[in-house]
């Protein structure tokens, strides 16, 4: 364990972080370490602070107390290492914007052309759309795509800065079952090279894809699934889902 | 129409109409996609305060309106930048207070009062050369800003939270869009009047929105659609001796109706 830690430094280190909106404490004393190629799922009740934690890591909100480090550096220096897929891709659906333009929003500004888009940018955006299986929809208006397709475009946008970590806030809400499966498969594929942190209410993602789970309800309870899954596996190889989920649901 | 163009005032009206339509297409698109339509309406009515103050103190009405509208835009940017949910309250506030200030100052002005109807419903036939220079200048400024900062404006309008993550100064661009809206409102008042401004800034854009798959396409097509409405409206206004602003808006509204029926049938 000791050797492992030395060779494999945490990619995200959250230490004693607290956060309050006005006077109401939303997160209290959060400690969390995320390692390279982890597939971490954040679970917990609505209003429990999951999205807030992600927004703190992204620097959208500022912590009241504690520190967040990305690759052992202060957050501000390493924001480019983070890709983010926000919740609610169903807002602003009538906006006149093509899928490929959405992807190119993720491009670093110093690489942009003075006017319009560079050829390399367009080629790179097409390459990313291909990765998420959306290249044939590049010129489609974003509003004409299905929820799942739109979500994949948002993932391509997040991949634009070639991030080491990808955050997704409820990527499968409002998406039909086929679309969900598609996104999970894509995330599993991406997980081979990118660390993934997902907020989700979906049980199947925890059982089939996650390596670690953190339950957040003001406080954080962390579980390493690789160890736990064995513990909850019966002799004939089945996982006792109900017991596992009950255990994960406890705050501490 | 051709013989009408031998008059200077008709030439000016036509040039003003085209310039204002093109600018309205670009800025109206930004207003619609940013869901600021009633914000622009508030600024338009608040601008009346500027008209009143200008009449009272005797300086250029165009200048008075411009300064007052820009101040109203800056005030709105300042109060709504961090709390967009309170935006309705503040729109109501500047809308009513601006008009009240305008009316009080006009009351205070001794002697004959200027024809207020021309500000409420436009006075495109009274456009002079100075107005045209101002419109031309604004047209160039708008084109310049939208061309060079297109991607930032697009990002801020489509997804301001993500734009902020990518290091774009969201507050700056939000304020910039509001100021450009205020300036556009001021020149549109000249053409269609402050009551009808909102129609010019939304009807062409609504039609263009369903025809375009990108923002710049929407801006260009809105501009041309608005130009078409303005020219046809002006022509009807000249032929039948009717108020030009109202004619332009009714042409636009009628076209919108035909367009919507066409979409339904298709």
């Amino acid at each position: 364990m000791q050797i492992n830690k030395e060779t494999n430094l945490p990619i995200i280190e959250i230490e004693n972080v607290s956060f309050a909106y006005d006077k109401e404490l939303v997160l209290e004393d959060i400690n969390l370490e995320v390692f390279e190629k982890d597939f971490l799922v954040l679970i917990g009740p609505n209003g429990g602070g999951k999205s807030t934690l992600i927004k703190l890591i992204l620097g959208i909100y500022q912590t009241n107390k504690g520190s967040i480090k990305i690759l052992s550096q202060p957050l501000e220096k390493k924001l480019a290492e983070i890709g983010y897929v926000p919740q609610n891709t169903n807002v602003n659906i009538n906006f006149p914007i093509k899928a490929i333009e959405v992807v190119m929003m993720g491009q670093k500004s110093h690489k942009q052309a003075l006017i319009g888009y560079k050829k390399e940018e367009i080629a790179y955006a097409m390459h990313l759309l291909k990765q998420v299986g959306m290249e044939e929809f590049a010129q489609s208006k974003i509003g004409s795509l299905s929820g799942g397709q739109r979500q994949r475009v948002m993932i391509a946008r997040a991949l634009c800065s070639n991030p080491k970590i990808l955050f997704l806030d409820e990527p499968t809400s409002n998406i039909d079952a086929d679309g969900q499966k598609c996104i999970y498969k894509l995330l599993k594929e991406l997980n081979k090279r990118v660390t993934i942190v997902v907020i989700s209410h979906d049980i199947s993602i925890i059982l089939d894809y996650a390596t670690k789970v953190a339950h957040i309800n003001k406080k954080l309870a962390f579980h390493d699934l690789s160890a736990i899954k064995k513990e909850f596996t019966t002799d004939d190889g089945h996982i006792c889902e109900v017991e596992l989920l009950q255990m994960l649901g406890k705050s501490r | 129409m051709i013989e009408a163009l031998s008059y200077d005032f008709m030439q000016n009206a036509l040039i003003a109409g085209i310039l204002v339509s093109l600018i309205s297409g670009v800025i109206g698109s930004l207003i619609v996609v940013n869901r600021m339509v009633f914000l622009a309406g508030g600024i338009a009515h608040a601008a009346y305060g500027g008209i009143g103050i200008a009449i009272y103190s005797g300086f250029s009405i165009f200048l008075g309106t411009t300064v007052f509208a820009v101040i109203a835009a800056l005030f709105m940017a300042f109060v709504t930048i961090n709390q967009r949910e309170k935006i309705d309250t503040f729109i109501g506030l500047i809308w009513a207070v601006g008009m009240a200030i305008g009316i009080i100052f006009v009351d205070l002005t001794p002697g004959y009062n200027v024809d207020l109807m021309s500000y409420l419903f436009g006075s495109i036939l009274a456009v002079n050369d100075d107005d045209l220079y101002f419109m031309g200048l604004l047209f160039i400024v708008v084109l310049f800003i939208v061309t060079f900062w297109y991607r930032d404006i697009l990002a801020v309008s489509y997804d301001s939270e993500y734009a902020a993550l990518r290091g774009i100064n969201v507050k700056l661009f939000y304020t910039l869009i509001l100021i450009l809206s205020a300036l556009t409102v001021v020149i549109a008042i000249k053409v269609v009047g402050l009551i009808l401004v909102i129609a010019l800034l939304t009807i062409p854009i609504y039609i263009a929105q369903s025809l375009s798959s990108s923002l710049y396409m929407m801006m260009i097509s809105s501009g041309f659609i608005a130009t078409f409405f303005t020219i046809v409206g002006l022509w009807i206004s000249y032929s039948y001796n009717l108020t030009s602003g109202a004619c332009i808006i009714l042409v636009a509204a009628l076209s919108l109706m035909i367009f919507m029926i066409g979409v339904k049938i298709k």
Side-chain angles (χ1 to χ4, degrees):
Chain A
M1 199 66 190
Q2 201 63 38
I3 303 155
N4 190 21
K5 267 206 168 166
E6 272 167 18
T7 51
N8 192 6
L9 283 166
I11 196 159
I12 308 173
E13 291 170 270
I14 301 176
E15 263 177 52
N16 304 322
V17 162
S18 296
F19 181 78
Y21 289 107
D22 295 323
K23 291 246 163 71
E24 194 191 343
L25 199 60
V26 184
L27 292 171
E28 190 183 348
D29 222 6
I30 302 292
N31 287 286
L32 180 67
E33 286 184 335
V34 182
F35 292 88
E36 211 170 311
K37 303 211 180 111
D38 274 354
F39 194 127
L40 172 71
V41 178
L42 302 179
I43 57 171
N46 287 325
K50 305 181 298 283
S51 295
T52 307
L53 183 63
I54 284 200
K55 286 181 178 176
L56 283 171
I57 302 173
L58 290 167
I60 297 175
Y61 300 153
Q62 306 301 321
T63 52
N64 299 130
K65 215 186 99 200
S67 78
I68 298 175
K69 283 182 181 162
I70 308 286
L71 295 161
S72 310
Q73 298 253 18
L75 180 59
E76 305 79 48
K77 289 191 181 167
K78 289 287 175 185
L79 274 181
E81 307 289 350
I82 303 177
Y84 174 49
V85 180
Q87 198 179 7
N88 267 335
T89 41
N90 291 341
V91 294
N92 238 348
I93 268 184
N94 284 321
F95 199 101
I97 187 168
K98 294 175 187 171
I100 190 160
E101 287 181 292
V102 173
V103 176
M104 286 189 283
M105 258 184 79
Q107 197 73 246
K108 284 175 196 159
S109 49
H110 64 86
K111 284 189 179 168
Q112 289 177 2
L114 193 59
I115 301 174
Y117 304 100
K118 280 189 205 162
K119 269 188 184 153
E120 308 93 82
E121 276 185 87
I122 296 173
Y124 183 55
M126 281 306 289
H127 162 77
L128 292 173
L129 280 170
K130 203 168 182 180
Q131 274 188 18
V132 299
M134 287 295 292
E135 73 272 31
E136 55 189 301
F137 297 99
Q139 301 300 326
S140 303
K141 202 168 167 176
I142 197 81
S144 67
L145 303 177
S146 73
Q149 291 173 327
R150 209 156 36 240
Q151 195 62 264
R152 280 188 275 159
V153 171
M154 297 300 168
I155 293 173
R157 176 177 74 172
L159 292 173
C160 221
S161 61
N162 201 13
K164 290 207 166 60
I165 318 154
L166 191 59
F167 286 90
L168 302 100
D169 195 345
E170 299 201 23
T172 55
S173 58
N174 305 318
I175 291 177
D176 60 77
D178 283 345
Q180 293 190 354
K181 223 181 203 169
C182 210
I183 286 181
Y184 291 148
K185 265 197 204 150
L186 173 63
L187 290 182
K188 190 167 188 177
E189 189 58 36
L190 290 173
N191 192 215
K192 288 176 185 162
R193 55 191 175 89
V194 188
T195 305
I196 291 184
V197 180
V198 186
I199 292 180
S200 185
H201 289 294
D202 195 337
I203 295 163
S204 59
I205 193 172
I206 299 169
L207 294 173
D208 297 337
Y209 302 96
T211 57
K212 287 164 186 178
V213 171
H215 181 269
I216 300 176
N217 189 11
K218 207 176 194 183
K219 295 189 172 190
L220 184 145
F222 182 79
H223 308 278
D224 190 336
L225 278 186
S226 51
I228 296 167
K229 270 184 186 165
K230 271 183 216 144
E231 194 181 313
F232 283 87
T233 305
T234 55
D235 295 336
D236 56 356
H238 280 290
I239 294 176
C240 309
E241 297 180 11
V242 179
E243 284 83 353
L244 174 65
L245 292 169
Q246 272 176 350
M247 198 277 301
L248 293 176
K250 283 176 199 153
S251 285
R252 222 162 258 269
Chain B
M1 189 77 185
I2 304 296
E3 100 266 354
L5 283 176
S6 59
Y7 299 110
D8 271 355
F9 73 89
M10 271 312 277
Q11 288 174 10
N12 280 359
L14 192 65
I15 298 170
I18 292 171
L19 279 175
V20 168
S21 300
L22 294 176
I23 297 171
S24 304
V26 176
I27 299 302
S29 297
L30 285 181
I31 291 175
V32 168
V33 298
N34 279 287
R35 281 167 290 188
M36 288 178 178
V37 171
F38 280 88
L39 189 47
I43 292 173
H45 287 78
Y48 189 74
I51 296 174
I53 292 175
I55 291 174
Y56 176 75
S57 38
F59 52 74
S60 151
I61 289 180
F62 218 30
L63 185 72
T65 327
T66 306
V67 171
F68 204 82
V70 169
I71 291 173
L74 285 172
F75 171 76
M76 286 306 290
F78 178 72
V79 293
T80 59
I81 223 155
N82 290 321
Q83 35 185 358
R84 283 197 78 168
E85 68 280 0
K86 287 189 184 153
I87 205 162
D88 280 347
T89 315
F90 286 108
I91 290 172
L93 186 80
I94 62 158
W95 190 305
V97 171
M99 293 225 63
I101 291 175
I103 287 166
I104 297 290
F105 273 98
V106 170
D107 282 349
L108 290 175
T109 311
Y112 174 70
N113 285 341
V114 208
D115 178 20
L116 289 178
M117 286 294 279
S118 70
Y119 300 105
L120 296 181
F121 296 102
S123 52
I124 191 171
L125 298 178
V127 169
N128 58 36
D129 288 351
D130 285 347
D131 297 339
L132 282 185
Y133 292 139
F134 185 83
M135 290 171 185
L137 183 70
L138 181 61
F139 183 61
I140 293 167
V141 169
V142 164
L143 277 192
F144 182 82
I145 291 176
V146 169
T147 307
F148 283 97
W149 285 280
Y150 177 73
R151 294 182 64 166
D152 294 326
I153 291 173
L154 178 70
V156 169
S157 306
Y158 178 63
D159 189 344
S160 57
E161 187 180 80
Y162 199 85
L165 269 180
R166 293 251 60 87
I168 297 171
N169 191 337
V170 173
K171 289 177 183 175
L172 177 74
F173 281 101
Y174 179 73
T175 312
L176 185 68
I177 292 172
L178 274 180
I179 291 174
L180 289 177
S181 308
L183 295 174
T184 306
V185 159
V186 171
I187 60 162
I189 285 176
K190 198 82 193 179
V191 175
V192 291
L194 66 87
I195 301 218
L196 302 177
V197 143
I198 289 307
L200 187 64
L201 288 171
T202 50
I203 296 175
I205 285 95
Y206 182 86
I207 296 175
Q209 185 164 29
S210 47
L211 299 174
S212 337
S213 55
S214 64
L215 184 59
Y216 73 90
M217 276 306 296
M218 180 172 162
M219 288 171 165
I220 293 169
S221 37
S222 311
F224 284 115
I225 294 169
T227 306
F228 171 76
F229 293 160
T230 307
I231 292 174
V232 175
L234 261 180
W235 175 63
I236 293 175
S237 154
Y238 177 79
S239 308
Y240 298 96
N241 195 23
L242 300 167
T243 307
S244 53
C247 288
I248 295 169
I249 298 305
L250 284 184
V251 168
L254 200 66
S255 309
L256 176 65
M257 243 165 67
I258 296 169
F259 177 79
M260 286 167 89
I261 292 169
V263 169
K264 271 265 156 62
I265 291 170
K266 208 169 84 184

